[in-house]
Amino acid sequence: MNNPSRPGAGPDTAAIPLRVGGHPQPAAPRTRQLEDRFGRRFSYLRLSITDVCNFRCEYCLPNGYQGTPKGFLEIDEIRRLVAAFAELGTWKVRLTGGEPMVRKDFMQVARAVKQTPGVKRMAVTTNAYRLADCAEDLKAAGMDAVNISLDALDAERFQAITGDRRFDRVIAGIDAALAAGMDAVKINTVLLKGLNDDQLPAFFEFVRERPISLRFIELMRTGDNGDYFATRHLGGDRVRDRLDRLGWTPRDRGPADGPAVEYTHPEHAGRIGLIAPYAPGFCDTCNRLRVTARGGLRLCLFGNGSDDLRPLLAADEQKEELKDRIVAALFGKRVSHFLHEGDYGDTPHLASTGG
Ligand code: SF4
């Protein structure tokens, strides 16, 4: 039964008072489980550690990074933030950006996150510009899973979409992550009408021998990409129909899996996935919260505004207050996005919130 005085907090909210020698003792913090008014539980934190990116993807930062590359959360702030979330039942943390690996202290950040009690799984979403050089270090830092953005399977088209020439480095990064023994290697491919929808057969072939999951992501409308969205958006049906025709079968989602519906095929080592935010019921199983690179708690990718947690990241002693703030904020989470109503929140582009 939910605690009516603390909406959004799970059943095990209250700490048990302890007495030693008649004196009340501080109760050991118990793990609460973040849960919203709709009964959704949040075990997955997407933590942006910078909004800087070194690529110029057409659907996100067509003119490159325009912000002020400073003022991002420091390691101690990140450690305190993740510790609080972990005590609220979050056990999976994804490091995102911008491009998270542009941070010079990325490996230290990764180690600090994975060493946090309660964090069982750590992942990163990267454009893989330096993955081939550091996949082993990443694994040694405790990274379990790597998601790599790859929107085309030839260098020319890749450069046309990303504004970058490092296609071969990205492919080498994928294979390096596999060779390093990452628990999961996934590809994020934004489905773009007239730009990569003709490459579906090549993408399917890409996972024939590679034990990876390649997921097609429907282009999402954000504040800055209106015209682009109108030109390039392509529903996931095109992919789903082709998968069905070719004998791919859908597989069940795991507890902290992201929103992808994945398909397997007996002749392919890898899987194909589909992330379709416009599909009915997409938000029913939302299990993730986001924190921006400057400490703003965002309840939804397409929400409005964020709750500034940074003032509560200054000292370890603020942890209970920080947890209370996160629990209270969750009460404001909406039942879903309202993209169909043309409400895409105040997200100017995905680099600003880490996607
Ligand atoms: S759009 Fe918002 S509510 Fe829906 S799944 Fe994503 S974060 Fe959750």
Side-chain angles (χ1 to χ4, degrees), residues 113-144:
V113 167
K114 191 58 183 293
Q115 288 166 3
T116 305
V119 173
K120 300 189 190 96
R121 193 164 180 78
M122 181 170 64
V124 62
T125 298
T126 174
N127 63 24
Y129 80 102
R130 68 178 180 103
L131 184 57
D133 306 325
C134 66
E136 298 284 352
D137 297 342
L138 210 51
K139 179 73 179 168
M143 197 62 70
D144 301 294

Short mmCIF file of all heavy atoms in Angstrom, two decimals, residues 113-144:
data_model
loop_
_atom_site.label_atom_id
_atom_site.label_comp_id
_atom_site.label_asym_id
_atom_site.label_seq_id
_atom_site.Cartn_x
_atom_site.Cartn_y
_atom_site.Cartn_z
N VAL A 113 30.73 5.79 -10.49
CA VAL A 113 29.33 5.38 -10.61
C VAL A 113 29.19 3.89 -10.31
O VAL A 113 28.35 3.47 -9.51
CB VAL A 113 28.79 5.72 -12.01
CG1 VAL A 113 27.45 5.03 -12.27
CG2 VAL A 113 28.66 7.23 -12.18
N LYS A 114 30.08 3.08 -10.92
CA LYS A 114 29.92 1.62 -10.77
C LYS A 114 30.27 1.16 -9.35
O LYS A 114 29.77 0.14 -8.89
CB LYS A 114 30.80 0.88 -11.78
CG LYS A 114 30.52 -0.61 -11.89
CD LYS A 114 29.07 -0.92 -12.27
CE LYS A 114 28.78 -2.39 -12.30
NZ LYS A 114 29.47 -3.13 -13.35
N GLN A 115 31.07 1.93 -8.63
CA GLN A 115 31.44 1.54 -7.27
C GLN A 115 30.38 1.97 -6.24
O GLN A 115 30.51 1.71 -5.05
CB GLN A 115 32.81 2.14 -6.90
CG GLN A 115 33.95 1.44 -7.63
CD GLN A 115 35.26 2.22 -7.55
OE1 GLN A 115 35.32 3.28 -6.89
NE2 GLN A 115 36.29 1.74 -8.23
N THR A 116 29.32 2.63 -6.72
CA THR A 116 28.26 3.07 -5.81
C THR A 116 27.44 1.87 -5.34
O THR A 116 26.95 1.11 -6.18
CB THR A 116 27.33 4.07 -6.52
OG1 THR A 116 28.12 5.13 -7.04
CG2 THR A 116 26.28 4.60 -5.57
N PRO A 117 27.29 1.66 -4.02
CA PRO A 117 26.49 0.54 -3.54
C PRO A 117 25.08 0.57 -4.14
O PRO A 117 24.45 1.63 -4.20
CB PRO A 117 26.44 0.75 -2.03
CG PRO A 117 27.65 1.57 -1.72
CD PRO A 117 27.84 2.47 -2.92
N GLY A 118 24.64 -0.58 -4.68
CA GLY A 118 23.30 -0.67 -5.26
C GLY A 118 23.29 -0.57 -6.77
O GLY A 118 22.33 -1.00 -7.41
N VAL A 119 24.37 -0.02 -7.37
CA VAL A 119 24.42 0.06 -8.84
C VAL A 119 24.93 -1.28 -9.37
O VAL A 119 26.06 -1.66 -9.11
CB VAL A 119 25.32 1.21 -9.31
CG1 VAL A 119 25.49 1.16 -10.84
CG2 VAL A 119 24.73 2.54 -8.91
N LYS A 120 24.05 -1.98 -10.07
CA LYS A 120 24.41 -3.32 -10.56
C LYS A 120 24.80 -3.28 -12.04
O LYS A 120 25.47 -4.19 -12.53
CB LYS A 120 23.23 -4.27 -10.40
CG LYS A 120 22.77 -4.46 -8.96
CD LYS A 120 21.76 -5.61 -8.87
CE LYS A 120 21.10 -5.66 -7.49
NZ LYS A 120 19.78 -4.94 -7.48
N ARG A 121 24.35 -2.28 -12.75
CA ARG A 121 24.58 -2.24 -14.19
C ARG A 121 24.88 -0.82 -14.63
O ARG A 121 24.19 0.12 -14.23
CB ARG A 121 23.36 -2.77 -14.94
CG ARG A 121 23.63 -3.07 -16.41
CD ARG A 121 22.51 -3.94 -16.98
NE ARG A 121 22.73 -4.25 -18.38
CZ ARG A 121 23.60 -5.19 -18.82
NH1 ARG A 121 24.31 -5.89 -17.96
NH2 ARG A 121 23.74 -5.42 -20.13
N MET A 122 25.93 -0.67 -15.43
CA MET A 122 26.30 0.64 -15.96
C MET A 122 26.44 0.55 -17.47
O MET A 122 27.03 -0.42 -17.98
CB MET A 122 27.61 1.13 -15.33
CG MET A 122 28.04 2.50 -15.81
SD MET A 122 29.42 3.17 -14.84
CE MET A 122 30.72 1.97 -15.21
N ALA A 123 25.89 1.56 -18.14
CA ALA A 123 25.95 1.58 -19.60
C ALA A 123 26.34 2.97 -20.05
O ALA A 123 26.27 3.93 -19.28
CB ALA A 123 24.58 1.20 -20.17
N VAL A 124 26.77 3.09 -21.29
CA VAL A 124 27.09 4.39 -21.87
C VAL A 124 26.51 4.45 -23.28
O VAL A 124 26.44 3.43 -23.97
CB VAL A 124 28.62 4.63 -21.92
CG1 VAL A 124 29.33 3.59 -22.79
CG2 VAL A 124 28.94 6.04 -22.40
N THR A 125 26.05 5.62 -23.66
CA THR A 125 25.63 5.88 -25.04
C THR A 125 26.66 6.82 -25.64
O THR A 125 26.87 7.91 -25.09
CB THR A 125 24.22 6.48 -25.10
OG1 THR A 125 23.30 5.53 -24.56
CG2 THR A 125 23.83 6.80 -26.53
N THR A 126 27.30 6.38 -26.74
CA THR A 126 28.42 7.15 -27.30
C THR A 126 28.39 7.15 -28.82
O THR A 126 27.82 6.24 -29.43
CB THR A 126 29.76 6.55 -26.84
OG1 THR A 126 30.84 7.20 -27.48
CG2 THR A 126 29.84 5.05 -27.15
N ASN A 127 29.01 8.15 -29.42
CA ASN A 127 29.15 8.12 -30.89
C ASN A 127 30.41 7.34 -31.28
O ASN A 127 30.74 7.23 -32.45
CB ASN A 127 29.18 9.54 -31.47
CG ASN A 127 30.37 10.35 -30.98
OD1 ASN A 127 31.41 9.81 -30.60
ND2 ASN A 127 30.23 11.67 -30.99
N ALA A 128 31.09 6.78 -30.27
CA ALA A 128 32.22 5.85 -30.47
C ALA A 128 33.43 6.46 -31.17
O ALA A 128 34.26 5.72 -31.71
CB ALA A 128 31.73 4.60 -31.25
N TYR A 129 33.57 7.75 -31.14
CA TYR A 129 34.72 8.37 -31.84
C TYR A 129 36.05 7.89 -31.24
O TYR A 129 37.06 7.83 -31.93
CB TYR A 129 34.62 9.89 -31.78
CG TYR A 129 35.07 10.52 -30.49
CD1 TYR A 129 36.32 11.13 -30.38
CD2 TYR A 129 34.25 10.50 -29.36
CE1 TYR A 129 36.75 11.69 -29.18
CE2 TYR A 129 34.66 11.05 -28.16
CZ TYR A 129 35.91 11.65 -28.08
OH TYR A 129 36.31 12.19 -26.88
N ARG A 130 36.08 7.49 -29.94
CA ARG A 130 37.36 7.00 -29.37
C ARG A 130 37.21 5.62 -28.74
O ARG A 130 38.11 5.16 -28.04
CB ARG A 130 37.96 8.00 -28.37
CG ARG A 130 37.23 8.23 -27.06
CD ARG A 130 38.02 9.22 -26.21
NE ARG A 130 37.42 9.55 -24.91
CZ ARG A 130 37.84 9.07 -23.74
NH1 ARG A 130 38.81 8.18 -23.71
NH2 ARG A 130 37.27 9.44 -22.61
N LEU A 131 36.11 4.95 -29.02
CA LEU A 131 35.85 3.65 -28.40
C LEU A 131 36.90 2.60 -28.76
O LEU A 131 37.31 1.79 -27.92
CB LEU A 131 34.45 3.17 -28.79
CG LEU A 131 33.95 1.88 -28.18
CD1 LEU A 131 33.97 1.94 -26.65
CD2 LEU A 131 32.53 1.55 -28.68
N ALA A 132 37.36 2.62 -30.02
CA ALA A 132 38.33 1.60 -30.46
C ALA A 132 39.61 1.67 -29.63
O ALA A 132 40.28 0.66 -29.43
CB ALA A 132 38.63 1.79 -31.94
N ASP A 133 39.92 2.87 -29.11
CA ASP A 133 41.17 3.04 -28.35
C ASP A 133 41.02 2.71 -26.87
O ASP A 133 42.02 2.55 -26.17
CB ASP A 133 41.66 4.50 -28.46
CG ASP A 133 41.79 4.95 -29.91
OD1 ASP A 133 42.17 4.10 -30.73
OD2 ASP A 133 41.44 6.12 -30.20
N CYS A 134 39.77 2.66 -26.37
CA CYS A 134 39.66 2.55 -24.90
C CYS A 134 38.61 1.52 -24.44
O CYS A 134 38.20 1.55 -23.29
CB CYS A 134 39.31 3.92 -24.32
SG CYS A 134 37.69 4.49 -24.82
N ALA A 135 38.20 0.62 -25.32
CA ALA A 135 37.17 -0.36 -24.93
C ALA A 135 37.60 -1.21 -23.74
O ALA A 135 36.82 -1.45 -22.81
CB ALA A 135 36.82 -1.25 -26.12
N GLU A 136 38.86 -1.61 -23.72
CA GLU A 136 39.36 -2.42 -22.59
C GLU A 136 39.33 -1.61 -21.29
O GLU A 136 38.90 -2.11 -20.25
CB GLU A 136 40.79 -2.89 -22.88
CG GLU A 136 40.95 -3.78 -24.09
CD GLU A 136 40.48 -5.22 -23.84
OE1 GLU A 136 40.17 -5.53 -22.65
OE2 GLU A 136 40.33 -5.98 -24.82
N ASP A 137 39.73 -0.36 -21.36
CA ASP A 137 39.72 0.51 -20.16
C ASP A 137 38.29 0.70 -19.66
O ASP A 137 38.03 0.71 -18.45
CB ASP A 137 40.32 1.88 -20.48
CG ASP A 137 41.78 1.79 -20.88
OD1 ASP A 137 42.40 0.74 -20.58
OD2 ASP A 137 42.27 2.75 -21.53
N LEU A 138 37.39 0.84 -20.61
CA LEU A 138 35.98 1.03 -20.27
C LEU A 138 35.46 -0.20 -19.50
O LEU A 138 34.81 -0.08 -18.47
CB LEU A 138 35.20 1.18 -21.58
CG LEU A 138 33.94 2.03 -21.63
CD1 LEU A 138 34.18 3.41 -21.05
CD2 LEU A 138 33.45 2.13 -23.08
N LYS A 139 35.80 -1.36 -20.01
CA LYS A 139 35.41 -2.62 -19.36
C LYS A 139 36.01 -2.67 -17.96
O LYS A 139 35.34 -2.99 -16.98
CB LYS A 139 35.87 -3.80 -20.21
CG LYS A 139 35.56 -5.17 -19.65
CD LYS A 139 34.11 -5.52 -19.75
CE LYS A 139 33.84 -6.93 -19.20
NZ LYS A 139 32.40 -7.20 -19.02
N ALA A 140 37.30 -2.30 -17.86
CA ALA A 140 37.99 -2.32 -16.56
C ALA A 140 37.38 -1.32 -15.58
O ALA A 140 37.41 -1.54 -14.37
CB ALA A 140 39.47 -2.01 -16.78
N ALA A 141 36.78 -0.26 -16.09
CA ALA A 141 36.14 0.74 -15.23
C ALA A 141 34.77 0.29 -14.75
O ALA A 141 34.08 1.01 -14.02
CB ALA A 141 36.02 2.07 -15.98
N GLY A 142 34.34 -0.90 -15.23
CA GLY A 142 33.09 -1.45 -14.76
C GLY A 142 31.92 -1.32 -15.72
O GLY A 142 30.78 -1.62 -15.37
N MET A 143 32.22 -0.87 -16.96
CA MET A 143 31.14 -0.69 -17.92
C MET A 143 30.59 -2.05 -18.35
O MET A 143 31.37 -2.95 -18.68
CB MET A 143 31.63 0.09 -19.13
CG MET A 143 30.54 0.68 -20.00
SD MET A 143 29.51 1.90 -19.13
CE MET A 143 30.67 3.26 -18.95
N ASP A 144 29.28 -2.21 -18.33
CA ASP A 144 28.65 -3.47 -18.72
C ASP A 144 28.13 -3.44 -20.14
O ASP A 144 28.15 -4.46 -20.83
CB ASP A 144 27.46 -3.77 -17.78
CG ASP A 144 27.87 -3.86 -16.33
OD1 ASP A 144 28.62 -4.80 -16.00
OD2 ASP A 144 27.48 -2.97 -15.55
#
